Amino acid sequence: MSGTVLRIAVTPGEPAGIGADLCLLAQPHLPADIEPVYICDPALLEDRAARLGLPARIHRFDPAAAPRPATPGTFCVAEVALHAPVSCGVAAPGNARYVLDTLDRAVAGCRDGQFAALVTGPVHKAVINDAGIPFSGHTEYLAARTGCAEVVMLLTAGSLRVALVTTHVPLAAVSGLITRARLRRALHILHHDLRTRFGIARPRIRVCGLNPHAGEGGHLGREEIETIIPVMDELRAAGMDLAGPLPADTAFTPAGIAAGDAFLTMYHDQGLPVLKHVGFGRAVNITLGLPLIRTSVDHGTALELAGTGHADTGSLLAAVRCAADMARRAAGATDADDA
């Protein structure tokens, strides 16, 4: 697919947050071989552009038309109507269904070949739940919409990649969710997608323990002995290159990072603080295991910055480039299989 223009769906996310700002501000800096299609209400982009003093010429998305490179000030929009008026910086439960409608439209477009990948802007989980819609995050929602029983959240910042066995769950629930089946599935998905979507022929995966000092031989917890080590031994015997279980407090040294292609951590705040310290504002959130390519920004809705022009586009630009790289790699693998 070298030289072709990739059509990538972009959902701005919470309409009162910085998602629309990011789309407007990032457009002039997108790679020339990408056509972003914004899945939103065109009035949202027009109103936010007027607030920021930016041009916003809107044209409607036509799936039958050939992809065209992004042009500064011109936006291709697949229209999804807002459910309620938008007040910049004030998230409203009335637009919770709108946010999910944009995701549903993007997923449908990826599944039927209209888009090569999906890039998502930040959503406001609490507001969606306040609207009476149970929602724990993009990762879980996209898994349900695509019928995937198991997916893996992976964040990248430069050469550092951190994946999670559990995602948006209370800390008190984590131990009970670290089962052999869940850990085995997470390692299979991570290993497979490192090979197919990142082009790493033999991935080196460093696995963190759950407990301090990786359980200290059972004195600080037995999850390593009873769950993590047996699964790692099984998958090593099947050919995976796995190190650990490692104490998380010393796993992320420069030497440790250099020794692996990815880390698998047991819960959200075990690995992500390290990754975001290394690369916040340019990190990318990726959902592995989906039948489509999905990347996202590494930050929230930043309601206080909406409409100010001060939103940092670094993570959105990184997410678009990462999605394009994975889409081209996947297409290359498909072309090779068909040869």
Side-chain angles (χ1 to χ4, degrees):
M1 291 185 63
S2 177
T4 62
V5 175
L6 284 181
R7 183 172 273 156
I8 293 179
V10 180
T11 55
E14 166 55 49
I18 61 169
D21 306 52
L22 295 174
C23 295
L24 293 161
L25 294 167
Q27 180 89 348
H29 308 289
L30 292 173
D33 57 356
I34 292 172
E35 180 188 40
V37 177
Y38 299 99
I39 316 293
C40 65
D41 193 317
L44 175 66
L45 289 182
E46 291 170 337
D47 292 348
R48 195 64 56 86
R51 187 180 182 98
L52 296 176
L54 297 172
R57 298 176 296 276
I58 305 293
H59 67 89
R60 309 293 176 171
F61 170 55
D62 178 4
R68 297 180 294 178
T71 303
T74 299
F75 299 85
C76 180
V77 175
E79 182 173 359
V80 175
L82 285 161
H83 288 210
V86 174
S87 179
C88 196
V90 182
N95 274 320
R97 176 48 59 184
Y98 159 79
V99 171
L100 301 183
D101 287 347
T102 66
L103 292 174
D104 293 346
R105 173 65 182 89
V107 168
C110 288
R111 298 298 296 270
D112 67 16
Q114 292 179 15
F115 310 122
L118 166 61
V119 176
T120 60
V123 297
H124 199 299
K125 300 182 185 70
V127 169
I128 296 174
N129 282 280
D130 287 346
I133 305 170
F135 183 84
S136 57
H138 275 113
T139 303
E140 298 83 0
Y141 185 81
L142 293 173
R145 296 302 297 175
T146 56
C148 292
E150 298 283 351
V151 295
V152 171
M153 179 188 288
L154 172 77
L155 272 81
T156 68
S159 61
L160 178 59
R161 303 179 184 94
V162 177
L164 311 176
V165 178
T166 63
T167 53
H168 301 116
V169 298
L171 187 58
V174 169
S175 178
L177 293 172
I178 305 297
T179 64
R180 292 190 186 191
R182 183 184 292 268
L183 181 58
R184 185 182 298 112
R185 183 61 179 154
L187 281 164
H188 274 298
I189 292 171
L190 178 58
H191 185 267
H192 175 272
D193 282 16
L194 286 172
R195 294 177 66 247
T196 59
R197 295 191 172 180
F198 290 89
I200 301 171
R202 182 168 168 74
R204 301 167 300 161
I205 300 173
R206 297 173 64 78
V207 180
C208 289
L210 172 65
N211 296 296
H213 301 179
E216 197 75 67
H219 295 287
L220 296 177
R222 296 193 58 81
E223 288 87 352
E224 287 78 11
I225 293 171
E226 296 175 359
T227 302
I228 299 174
I229 291 173
V231 172
M232 292 182 66
D233 287 344
E234 171 193 329
L235 297 183
R236 283 193 192 104
M240 286 193 194
D241 186 347
L242 306 175
L246 306 170
D249 63 341
T250 56
F252 297 96
T253 63
I257 293 172
D261 298 302
F263 288 85
L264 183 67
T265 60
M266 296 297 119
Y267 57 95
H268 188 280
D269 284 6
Q270 185 179 54
L272 296 195
V274 178
L275 183 131
K276 293 190 178 186
H277 171 73
V278 169
F280 189 71
R282 58 182 177 85
V284 179
N285 184 349
I286 304 165
T287 307
L288 305 181
L290 292 173
L292 55 91
I293 292 168
R294 179 259 173 167
T295 68
S296 186
V297 296
D298 69 345
H299 55 74
T301 55
L303 295 171
E304 71 281 1
L305 294 179
T308 67
H310 298 311
D312 187 339
T313 62
S315 185
L316 179 65
L317 289 169
V320 171
R321 294 186 184 109
C322 182
D325 287 344
M326 289 195 292
R328 293 190 188 283
R329 193 172 292 115
T334 300
D335 292 343
D337 289 343
D338 292 342

